[in-house]
Amino acid sequence: MRLVVDSTRCQGYGQCVFAAPEVFRMPGDEALLYEPNPSDEQREKVLRAAAACPTRAIVLDHRADEAAIAQRRAATTAGVVERIVVVGASLAGLRAAYALRREGFGGSLTVIGDETHGPYDRVPLSKQVLAGWVPAQDTALPRSGGLDADWRLGQAAVGLDRRGKRVVLAGGDEVAYDRLLIATGVRARPWPNPDEAALTGVYTVRNRDDALGLRQRLAAEPRQVLVIGAGFIGSEVASNCRELGIPVTVVDHGPAPLAGALGAAVGRIAAEMQREAGVDLRCTTSVSALEGDAEGRLRRARLSDGTTLDVDVAVAALGAQRNVEWLQGAGLASGPWGVACDAGCRAFDANGVVTDDIFVAGDVARFPHPAYEYQFMALEHWGNAVDQAEIAAHNMVGTGPDRWAHVALPVFWSTQFGTEIKSIGVPTFADEIVVAQGSTAERRFVAVYGRQGRITAAVTFDQGMWLEHYGRLIAQAAPFPPQARTVDEPPSRHPVPAEIRQAPSFHATVVLTGHQPSERTAVLVPVG
């Protein structure tokens, strides 16, 4: 058995897992612990810890229980589902593959990935890898030979033939399937000017090679780093620069760091943290151009306010683009928003009809959540990828009445400038916010988000032990502002506007064809 433990939900109960020397772990209580070969004693400690507190123990390779697997296999769609293809050698793809075997699927399993690397964890790339604590190659997710899968790495999927039930690969090969899981994730949004993006010293941070290149450049102690974008990735990069003693300027067109995810009310607290750490933070500003020298090396940046910065490294932290281009023409409801699916991870086609043979999981999935008025949402969260992969795998081989719904509350975390920021729920769904516990001046507090009289999310700064409590309130549709008395209450708990910056919406252009019900259909028109 191999274990990955996500203790983002560890509420201050102390060290829950005893790690071997080769284990990779993050600082603080947001650790990911990889144990390749746990002893029986370690295994029992992990499972007891998982049962005793809200630690998330993820078993990558369960001990075989042949009788249970055979029983599940008999209850699955054996004979109908003999070939499953997973497109995306990602965290979600790997989790789904293991879950399929655990569910009793004994047929052909193929995992396709465009990178030559096997599945690896992206979380530490903007954290420990940039800080130099962990080599980029050590972020690989543990795998077991018992998975019995055909790995097609370095072979990008370029097309989907739904009628023929085949995935087309870049080299011309085709892989047949009975069930297909789309787990292609996202990629970093590049700097929009290709010539400027090609300058030596301009980086993005999304994959392992990105992080390796930027780490090597930071280790060379650049004179000045420019971070374009003050979301979570940009803020974590800036935090690492300051820890390394490197001067850094952060430029963002929004009113404050993290405003897009947490709202400007909390973002202003993040801005204070950055400035106190020595970051040259410039909000409501954008970068107009990046300029290089005769050798093609980055030398300066021109800002929208007319100023010029001398920089030799620029990190474009502009968000992500979903990897859906290979699905163009396949007739699925896919576009810049991702691939639309129901709460059971079954993909919708362009007509809004749910498919029974194509499923979606991870960052690329856009699904309705009952707790948020069934609004469709796409979540780029580690925990969401794991949870959704398990749901998709179960439903791919299960029967109708036995299918599960993905209704878990989103949880994510970030460590920056010595502070652990954790969230549960969807902050951007809210319109008001109240500090329910702690002190914003001391940067130790719980901010609770609300909409139309009920709690929708909570964000903690160095107060992660309260995350589970507020998760229960969200699940119960508890009233906002919170009514219950808690410890460490501030003098006033008066709600204020959350100042959520609305994310740009994606609208599909559709052409309707035909007149009879048998021929009337919707065709998506590609954007751009």
Side-chain angles (χ1 to χ4, degrees), residues 153-393:
L153 300 178
Q155 303 181 50
V158 296
L160 174 61
D161 175 6
R162 288 178 58 209
R163 289 190 179 276
K165 304 188 82 163
R166 294 178 180 275
V167 176
V168 182
L169 303 184
D173 290 347
E174 296 183 351
V175 184
Y177 66 86
D178 297 314
R179 293 283 190 273
L180 171 67
L181 176 63
I182 298 170
T184 46
V186 301
R187 63 186 184 277
R189 189 178 300 279
W191 182 248
N193 185 309
D195 292 334
E196 296 175 6
L199 291 171
T200 300
V202 178
Y203 297 88
T204 56
V205 182
R206 178 62 194 179
N207 61 38
R208 205 163 81 175
D209 293 338
D210 292 339
L212 177 60
L214 181 55
R215 167 57 197 163
Q216 291 173 342
R217 190 67 185 87
L218 294 181
E221 299 181 353
R223 292 176 296 113
Q224 180 74 35
V225 172
L226 169 65
V227 177
I228 309 171
F232 281 104
I233 296 296
S235 296
E236 288 171 1
V237 171
S239 176
N240 274 292
C241 287
R242 293 310 302 139
E243 287 186 18
L244 294 170
I246 300 171
V248 59
T249 299
V250 176
V251 175
D252 192 276
H253 64 83
L258 311 182
L262 305 182
V266 171
R268 283 190 287 271
I269 300 169
E272 294 172 0
M273 285 171 37
Q274 293 203 13
R275 291 190 170 109
E276 288 179 7
V279 174
D280 177 13
L281 177 62
R282 308 193 186 194
C283 296
T284 64
T285 308
S286 58
V287 176
S288 303
L290 299 175
E291 298 177 353
D293 59 19
E295 285 74 37
R297 295 172 299 193
L298 177 67
R299 284 293 175 255
R300 68 191 61 84
R302 298 193 180 277
L303 308 187
S304 59
D305 60 6
T307 59
T308 301
L309 298 176
D310 292 327
V311 297
D312 40 11
V313 173
V315 180
L318 305 174
Q321 294 177 312
R322 286 167 177 80
N323 294 318
V324 296
E325 290 80 3
W326 68 284
L327 296 171
Q328 186 170 327
L332 294 178
S334 64
W337 57 83
V339 182
C341 62
D342 69 3
C345 302
R346 297 179 298 173
F348 287 116
D349 70 12
N351 297 307
V353 176
V354 70
T355 63
D356 287 318
D357 57 351
I358 300 177
F359 293 73
V360 198
D363 297 354
V364 75
R366 185 169 182 256
F367 64 99
H369 200 299
Y372 298 98
E373 298 178 356
Y374 294 94
Q375 288 192 19
F376 279 77
M377 58 182 67
L379 302 172
E380 298 170 28
H381 303 158
W382 192 92
N384 180 73
V386 171
D387 290 340
Q388 207 165 33
E390 300 273 352
I391 299 291

